[in-house]
Amino acid sequence: MTHRTWSIGELAAGTGIAVKTLRYYSDSGLLPVAERSSGGHRRYGPEAWERIGLIRRLRALDTPIATVARVASGEQALGDFVATELDAVEEQLTQLRWRQATLRALDDCVDGERLRRLEILARVQRLPQARRTLTDHWYRELPAEMPKRRLDLMVAMLSPEPSHDPSPAAALAYAEIHVLVSTPGFTRWTGDHSEEMRDAPAFYGEIDEAAALTAAAVRAGLPPGPGEAVDAFVSAHARARRESDTPAFRRFLHALVSRSSGFDPRLRRYWGLLDTVTGGRSLNMTAAHAWLTDGLSLSITDTSPRA
């Protein structure tokens, strides 16, 4: 083409887009008008061809006209549009994968169990709301004297982000967790015996160190026994009670943690379900507590000198 402007009919012939559609684009402000002819007809310049190409490519992605208009006008950068659309697609895919996992969990059981699963799985189909149910529960239930940083870490551990691609077992376990937290009286947190702590922030700081050492030992598959993790655990409790780390105190502490077992039985089940939900990526606090209890017991009979 050698002329500098084109009629709407010429644009239609050159692009294969119907005149009616091009007129709609023009009326919507998507196609810039270069000038008008002596008869009052709109004429379009070279930029119209580029704009039509952009519109066509965006519409091929099922992009709404309003969004096309923002991108075409420069109100929204193309990169921002891509990022926003990608986030939306990822969210849709997550919802579809959850639906798929839910249907597979419902398919792989007998009728009576299918009805039970349907009732509980229906609770976790709106994922952001389902996670808020868990986080709200734990912010209410965990001890108020717990330092905020530790509180946030514990809540994150107890209410993990749902998987973007869950197995049927993981989806079902996530639903079972919601059943537990909705049970009346679930749960009083007793793992740290915090009501006996005289200096809660210092205690929680030291117990975090013991927890980190225990987590490393459990993940490494080390058997329970005397060592840094047990020593840090005892030290935290001894300092909080203004006691010394003596064999007598270790026997007292072992009796205390053995008697309480640290957790409501339903909370034990909760940690087991979290294992399934996270694929074992989070530390099972029930296993860690048992490891420490056994290690503490063995340390009482250990006769080696302590630093």
Side-chain angles (χ1 to χ4, degrees):
M1 298 180 183
T2 57
H3 47 303
R4 299 184 61 83
T5 63
W6 295 263
S7 69
I8 197 167
E10 289 170 326
L11 287 180
T15 62
I17 298 176
V19 169
K20 181 179 178 181
T21 301
L22 291 176
R23 186 173 291 116
Y24 170 72
Y25 290 163
S26 186
D27 292 341
S28 300
L30 288 172
L31 280 182
V33 176
E35 61 183 43
R36 288 191 177 264
S37 68
S38 57
H41 298 294
R42 286 174 286 199
R43 305 284 297 181
Y44 300 90
E47 65 273 16
W49 295 94
E50 296 176 6
R51 184 68 60 83
I52 289 171
L54 177 61
I55 294 169
R56 170 177 273 165
R57 294 180 182 97
L58 290 173
R59 291 294 287 160
L61 299 177
D62 292 327
T63 308
I65 285 294
T67 304
V68 172
R70 289 196 297 272
V71 175
S73 67
E75 179 183 344
Q76 181 178 20
L78 182 58
D80 291 341
F81 158 77
V82 171
T84 300
E85 288 297 299
L86 186 58
D87 287 343
V89 169
E90 291 290 349
E91 183 176 346
Q92 292 168 8
L93 285 173
T94 296
Q95 291 289 346
L96 286 172
R97 288 167 183 147
W98 267 87
R99 180 172 172 79
Q100 181 185 49
T102 295
L103 292 172
R104 285 179 173 169
L106 292 172
D107 183 54
D108 186 26
C109 58
V110 298
D111 286 344
E113 173 64 7
R114 185 172 293 122
L115 288 173
R116 187 192 76 84
R117 291 186 181 186
L118 177 61
E119 191 278 326
I120 65 173
L121 283 162
R123 304 181 185 207
V124 294
Q125 295 308 299
R126 298 178 65 182
L127 295 177
Q129 180 177 321
R131 187 171 187 236
R132 279 196 302 272
T133 297
L134 296 182
T135 57
D136 289 350
H137 172 86
W138 289 113
Y139 275 119
R140 288 193 306 269
E141 292 297 324
L142 289 170
E145 66 271 23
M146 189 179 287
K148 185 178 185 306
R149 178 178 174 276
R150 188 174 197 269
L151 176 63
D152 291 342
L153 288 172
M154 288 298 299
V155 170
M157 185 185 301
L158 287 158
S159 52
E161 283 279 4
S163 169
H164 293 296
D165 189 10
S167 66
L172 185 59
Y174 194 65
E176 297 280 10
I177 282 173
H178 284 74
V179 173
L180 281 176
V181 299
S182 66
T183 303
F186 180 83
T187 179
R188 300 301 299 172
W189 184 268
T190 59
D192 295 332
H193 311 286
S194 56
E195 70 280 359
E196 299 180 39
M197 298 301 104
R198 300 178 186 177
D199 187 357
F203 169 75
Y204 282 119
E206 291 193 51
I207 212 70
D208 279 346
E209 179 186 355
L213 291 168
T214 304
V218 171
R219 286 173 179 148
L222 299 178
E228 286 186 306
V230 171
D231 290 348
F233 180 71
V234 174
S235 175
H237 284 273
R239 288 176 185 274
R241 291 172 172 81
R242 305 294 191 267
E243 298 281 355
S244 298
D245 180 358
T246 64
F249 181 77
R250 289 193 176 221
R251 285 192 291 271
F252 159 77
L253 184 58
H254 181 260
L256 183 67
V257 297
S258 297
R259 184 169 61 249
S260 68
S261 297
F263 301 105
D264 181 302
R266 292 169 296 182
L267 189 53
R268 289 178 176 273
R269 173 162 166 72
Y270 192 98
W271 287 109
L273 291 168
L274 275 184
D275 265 352
T276 302
V277 170
T278 64
R281 291 188 301 275
S282 64
L283 177 65
N284 185 316
M285 293 296 285
T286 299
H289 184 83
W291 192 97
L292 272 175
T293 302
D294 291 345
L296 180 56
S297 175
L298 291 168
S299 78
I300 295 170
T301 60
D302 179 36
T303 58
S304 59
R306 301 189 190 286

